[in-house]
Amino acid sequence: MQIQSEYTFNFDWETVVKGFWRKYPCKEFDFIKFNQVVDMMLNDNNTMSIKRIVYARKFMVWCLTLEEITFDIENRSMQMQTKLLKACKYYPNLSGDESIIYKAIDDQKTHYSKLLSNFHQTFVTKLLSQFNSSFKKGIEVVEARCRELQNNQ
């Protein structure tokens, strides 16, 4: 099963990507306890690849994920794939993939899409309710960071 949502930011791609990068820490996502870049590489095709470890914890539930992020400056796009590395013993079958894309539409707008796939069926109901809430919160945080960036220019 897959869950997908899309949104259009009324900010240029560069501002949205900066806002995305400044998303953590924030009170809306206080369960993100740690995120650290562990690898960065400039590729031959003028893209940059970054790997980031993210540790999330809410009460007794925790997980460790790897984000693989690719920036394509020339085409003004950013893609991120998130893979679950390890989860707490309370959810031994927890699985799933997250894909995010930020792509410039023009000089004033950026398209954002998020896709969840390959997750364990027992989490479908919970994921559906939390996905929309998390998606909206993420947009709000990135937009707030974009406004901060514009105000500081």
Side-chain angles (χ1 to χ4, degrees):
M1 180 173 191
Q2 295 182 339
I3 306 171
Q4 184 168 2
S5 287
E6 297 183 17
Y7 182 78
T8 299
F9 287 95
N10 290 313
F11 295 98
D12 62 272
W13 179 80
E14 291 81 1
T15 301
V16 171
V17 169
K18 288 177 189 175
F20 162 82
W21 203 252
R22 296 175 183 190
K23 189 173 175 180
Y24 307 118
C26 69
K27 67 180 188 310
E28 292 85 354
F29 292 102
D30 62 346
F31 57 89
I32 302 295
K33 303 299 183 187
F34 173 84
N35 71 85
Q36 182 68 47
V37 172
V38 294
D39 190 28
M40 189 180 312
M41 184 172 27
L42 188 59
N43 304 314
D44 292 337
N45 60 356
N46 288 332
T47 63
M48 181 170 55
S49 297
I50 296 173
K51 291 183 181 179
R52 181 166 74 169
I53 297 288
V54 177
Y55 173 70
R57 182 182 183 108
K58 189 84 168 183
F59 307 115
M60 299 297 289
V61 178
W62 61 269
C63 68
L64 190 63
T65 62
L66 174 66
E67 296 177 343
E68 295 182 282
I69 307 166
T70 302
F71 292 94
D72 183 343
I73 307 299
E74 187 175 313
N75 293 309
R76 298 172 69 208
S77 70
M78 184 204 90
Q79 296 186 12
M80 182 178 83
Q81 304 292 320
T82 303
K83 299 286 184 191
L84 180 68
L85 298 176
K86 187 151 177 83
C88 68
K89 64 182 178 184
Y90 301 113
Y91 294 103
N93 296 324
L94 184 62
S95 64
D97 301 316
E98 176 188 53
S99 298
I100 290 177
I101 299 172
Y102 290 92
K103 175 96 173 113
I105 296 172
D106 56 31
D107 289 339
Q108 301 296 320
K109 295 184 185 289
T110 304
H111 181 259
Y112 166 50
S113 64
K114 181 175 183 175
L115 174 69
L116 292 180
S117 59
N118 301 321
F119 50 85
H120 196 268
Q121 291 296 330
T122 59
F123 294 99
V124 171
T125 304
K126 188 162 183 67
L127 273 175
L128 286 172
S129 64
Q130 289 188 348
F131 179 78
N132 285 333
S133 174
S134 174
F135 183 75
K136 289 175 188 172
K137 278 185 192 177
I139 289 168
E140 291 169 3
V141 170
V142 171
E143 284 192 329
R145 298 298 187 264
C146 289
R147 285 191 295 279
E148 290 169 8
L149 287 162
Q150 281 188 333
N151 291 336
N152 291 334
Q153 289 180 357

